Amino acid sequence: MNQIFDIKRIYKYTRLKLEVNKKLIVLSVSGFFGFAFIVTFFIANFSANHGTYNMINTFHMGTFVFMLFAGIVILAGRTFHDMNSQERSIAQLMLPISTFERFLLHVLTSSAGWIIISFVSYELFALFTNFIWSSVFNISIDTFYIFNNVSTYDAVKVLESLFFIHSIFFLGAGAIKKYPMAKTALYLFVVNSVFTFATMFFILILFGSFENFALITGNFYDNYLSEELLLKVGEYSEYVFIIFIPLVLYVVSYFKLKEREV
Amino acid sequence: MLNIKEMSFAYKRNKNLFENLELDIASGNIYGLLGKNGAGKSTLLKIMSGLLYYQKGSVTIDGLDVAKRLPKVLSDIYIIPEEFYLPDLSMEKYIELYSVFYPKFNESFLSDLIKEFGLDRGKKLHSLSYGQKKKFIIAFAIATECSIILMDEPTNGLDIPSKSKFRKIIASAINDERTFVISTHQVRDLENLIDPVIIIDEGRIIFNEFIETISSKLSFVKTDKENSKAKGKVFYTETVFGGNYLLTERLSDEESPLDFELLFNAVLSNTVEIVEHLNN
């Protein structure tokens, strides 16, 4: 039997994880949809009184995006929550599965798995609520389909940012034992602030003022950089953010997971 | 089976808990790992199971490094820590989900053990008391048929009848293919069960002997205050009500019942002489 990857072991582990977390998953998902359902009632009621029938679909769009991003952050940030105390850690680390299998399952379920589940479940929820409220209030609501409102290009951009955020919080979950989600968010804030202030500081030191900086760099762009080159730089930096950085963060997460002790 | 060679481990840099530790755990035995609080018993069990990474040397099970946490190794070793975690599942569900990871898992044996411990298989694990949970995890561990079972203070939280059932179960579960390593403070709970005895102190194994060797060379004697019954060299004296309790060299053919507490205290206070005497 392969000691690094075995599909049967992954299946057993997936089953175990689903069963152990079943209650939490059902409670959170039903709580979220329950709350959204109540809100759609008020929106449908308002729509019926004011004749703005598709307001409910705008709500669906916003809620779906919130669900997607909040879900990614929560799932990635809580990935190894069952290894955050000594007793739980022992139970997890002693399970006869490889670190790679553990890593793979968690990476896939908390990213791609979540994206698929939230898309399917939200579409079903929207279909259900639109049907219910259109029948109850006798109004006509368009069928909600996410891709009616979002272009493929925008969807790809959303996916890129989802994976970027996922990789950051996933690493946080692998590297930080206590309160990984909150600490990762805090580190992000600190790192961002430090970079922003450092940049501002250097601009002021080197150029005297922001106006001066804008003038000099503007002249520099006009004289030495072509639009084509700038686009290329933009494209490559996007690759760095959507491919290189998440990849590095995932690799580091794997090694952090491998290093875990009790 | 399990070999520890020149293993060093430290929680903090420059302060080794274990330094060049050597230990061979052979199959077919119930090892008793004794030591004072903080001696390193639990840490050693965690290193043996790959839960902690050692910094130097090697720890292997049948030649495979435990620190690699290979599924093959993990499916043949089971550790019951002093404080353990059981998920919010029914006993039945737990068995169904976790037993599949252990290729040698013996379902009917588990049923017998659950019955022996007086547990109800239909119950939710979270509704059980600490002692009942402990009995369940012990039963599950034994039923996995893992070659190495490590137990940290297994009798803590067990009531008196359960302690004797525990002894009975362990004694019936041992065979030539498997080994138990039991770490405990409560040596009396494991009397007539553990063999050999390993005593660990300040990160060093100061004593590692089979009961047969101990019994053949040492006597446990209760005497009056003047030690009038003492024959041969006295290694250790403990004052008890109405006299003294002595650990002496054995001179007569008459075997005295082994007292783990006296042995433990004697070894801690007079290691060199006792070990030398046993090795001669």
Side-chain angles (χ1 to χ4, degrees):
Chain A
M1 192 179 275
N2 192 315
Q3 295 301 297
I4 306 296
F5 181 81
D6 181 70
I7 200 80
K8 274 188 196 159
R9 273 198 308 261
I10 292 202
Y11 168 70
K12 289 175 199 167
Y13 185 55
T14 311
R15 215 176 133 230
L16 171 82
K17 284 278 151 190
L18 277 176
E19 278 290 344
V20 170
N21 295 305
K22 195 167 67 183
K23 232 183 231 174
L24 186 72
I25 296 168
V26 170
L27 274 176
S28 354
V29 172
S30 54
F32 178 79
F33 281 130
F35 178 73
F37 184 74
I38 293 167
V39 176
T40 56
F41 163 77
F42 290 107
I43 294 172
N45 188 28
F46 181 85
S47 300
N49 294 332
H50 295 83
T52 51
Y53 297 154
N54 272 319
M55 206 173 149
I56 200 162
N57 281 346
T58 312
F59 168 79
H60 282 321
M61 196 61 219
T63 314
F64 172 67
V65 171
F66 172 77
M67 181 183 174
L68 209 54
F69 278 88
I72 278 276
V73 169
I74 294 169
L75 282 179
R78 279 179 57 87
T79 301
F80 303 112
H81 73 282
D82 51 4
M83 287 166 81
N84 291 347
S85 73
Q86 175 148 296
E87 300 87 66
R88 283 165 173 256
S89 220
I90 291 174
Q92 287 304 312
L93 291 175
M94 289 310 290
L95 270 179
I97 59 159
S98 72
T99 309
F100 182 70
E101 288 160 346
R102 193 190 303 278
F103 168 81
L104 194 70
L105 178 79
H106 287 292
V107 158
L108 291 180
T109 50
S110 61
S111 60
W114 173 246
I115 292 167
I116 294 166
I117 286 170
S118 53
F119 175 76
V120 173
S121 63
Y122 204 89
E123 276 295 342
L124 291 173
F125 169 75
L127 269 178
F128 172 71
T129 48
N130 288 8
F131 170 74
I132 292 275
W133 301 136
S134 58
S135 313
V136 169
F137 293 105
N138 199 22
I139 53 174
S140 156
I141 306 172
D142 290 347
T143 307
F144 177 74
Y145 180 56
I146 289 151
F147 288 102
N148 282 347
N149 304 305
V150 180
S151 66
T152 316
Y153 176 81
D154 287 339
V156 170
K157 291 285 160 219
V158 168
L159 284 180
E160 287 171 5
S161 42
L162 275 172
F163 274 97
F164 184 68
I165 293 170
H166 179 266
S167 62
I168 294 170
F169 279 89
F170 194 81
L171 172 62
I176 306 164
K177 272 191 179 178
K178 291 257 181 239
Y179 313 112
M181 208 157 57
K183 281 184 184 167
T184 308
L186 185 71
Y187 289 152
L188 266 180
F189 175 73
V190 170
V191 168
N192 265 322
S193 308
V194 167
F195 271 107
T196 309
F197 285 117
T199 311
M200 285 161 74
F201 178 73
F202 280 112
I203 287 173
L204 289 175
I205 294 285
L206 296 171
F207 299 96
S209 69
F210 292 113
E211 290 78 21
N212 212 11
F213 170 71
L215 198 70
I216 293 168
T217 49
N219 284 339
F220 180 75
Y221 285 154
D222 291 343
N223 295 333
Y224 300 103
L225 300 176
S226 65
E227 202 173 323
E228 202 180 315
L229 185 68
L230 281 174
L231 282 174
K232 272 263 178 272
V233 170
E235 201 182 316
Y236 284 125
S237 41
E238 201 178 322
Y239 285 146
V240 168
F241 272 94
I242 62 162
I243 298 172
F244 184 69
I245 294 180
L247 214 63
V248 169
L249 296 183
Y250 285 133
V251 172
V252 176
S253 311
Y254 170 75
F255 284 104
K256 281 284 168 196
L257 185 60
K258 210 173 164 59
E259 275 175 16
R260 275 271 173 132
E261 292 180 292
V262 294
Chain B
M1 183 174 248
L2 193 152
N3 303 97
I4 301 179
K5 279 194 174 46
E6 294 180 6
M7 187 271 287
S8 297
F9 173 84
Y11 278 111
K12 288 177 189 165
R13 277 184 190 176
N14 305 325
K15 202 181 172 212
N16 274 1
L17 175 58
F18 298 118
E19 200 158 344
N20 296 323
L21 192 90
E22 299 270 347
L23 181 66
D24 282 334
I25 301 283
S27 56
N29 297 311
I30 303 169
Y31 287 82
L33 189 59
L34 315 180
K36 290 189 289 191
N37 292 332
K41 305 185 296 293
S42 302
T43 304
L44 185 59
L45 292 186
K46 285 174 190 159
I47 293 169
M48 283 176 176
S49 54
L51 289 167
L52 287 173
Y53 292 128
Y54 50 88
Q55 281 89 33
K56 221 185 86 191
S58 70
V59 181
T60 56
I61 293 176
D62 294 331
L64 296 168
D65 186 357
V66 293
K68 287 189 176 161
R69 293 182 186 150
L70 298 174
K72 190 181 175 189
V73 173
L74 292 171
S75 61
D76 208 25
I77 184 165
Y78 201 99
I79 182 168
I80 302 174
E82 191 177 2
E83 296 297 328
F84 54 90
Y85 165 76
L86 287 173
D88 187 12
L89 293 171
S90 68
M91 223 183 260
E92 205 67 65
K93 200 79 195 166
Y94 183 93
I95 296 163
E96 184 193 323
L97 292 170
Y98 284 80
S99 63
V100 290
F101 288 100
Y102 301 93
K104 294 185 273 181
F105 192 84
N106 189 334
E107 175 81 46
S108 65
F109 190 26
L110 177 68
S111 297
D112 293 345
L113 295 173
I114 284 177
K115 216 177 279 171
E116 179 75 35
F117 271 134
L119 297 169
D120 177 359
R121 226 180 135 126
K123 280 205 167 176
K124 280 239 167 202
L125 291 170
H126 276 198
S127 70
L128 303 178
S129 69
Y130 176 77
Q132 286 172 316
K133 282 182 189 166
K134 194 141 208 178
K135 286 190 269 187
F136 172 71
I137 197 88
I138 290 169
F140 186 86
I142 294 169
T144 59
E145 300 272 12
C146 285
S147 304
I148 301 173
I149 296 187
L150 311 170
M151 298 181 174
D152 196 1
E153 304 291 351
T155 54
N156 267 6
L158 296 189
D159 53 27
I160 295 163
S162 300
K163 282 179 184 179
S164 64
K165 276 179 189 162
F166 169 78
R167 282 193 293 268
K168 197 179 133 194
I169 285 168
I170 297 288
S172 68
I174 191 73
N175 58 43
D176 287 345
E177 260 86 60
R178 65 195 313 197
T179 291
F180 289 90
V181 180
I182 305 175
S183 145
T184 189
H185 296 104
Q186 299 173 22
V187 282
R188 291 211 191 278
D189 291 345
L190 303 174
E191 268 174 359
N192 305 322
L193 186 70
I194 52 177
D195 187 15
V197 180
I198 299 171
I199 299 176
I200 184 167
D201 190 39
E202 291 174 356
R204 288 177 309 121
I205 290 171
I206 57 170
F207 188 86
N208 182 2
E209 300 291 345
F210 280 94
I211 298 295
E212 195 187 349
T213 315
I214 299 167
S215 303
S216 67
K217 295 203 168 176
L218 295 172
S219 283
F220 298 81
V221 188
K222 194 163 183 192
T223 179
D224 54 27
K225 279 181 183 161
E226 283 74 42
N227 290 351
S228 58
K229 282 190 205 164
K231 288 170 193 161
K233 187 173 181 180
V234 177
F235 294 109
Y236 179 73
T237 308
E238 205 167 272
T239 308
V240 289
F241 183 71
N244 289 323
Y245 207 15
L246 311 175
L247 181 74
T248 66
E249 67 175 317
R250 183 175 163 186
L251 295 174
S252 65
D253 288 339
E254 200 182 321
E255 200 173 297
S256 57
L258 198 146
D259 186 306
F260 278 109
E261 257 180 40
L262 186 72
L263 177 72
F264 178 71
N265 291 333
V267 169
L268 285 184
S269 64
N270 192 6
T271 315
V272 179
E273 276 190 52
I274 295 171
V275 172
E276 260 176 21
H277 174 72
L278 290 174
N279 291 335
N280 283 334

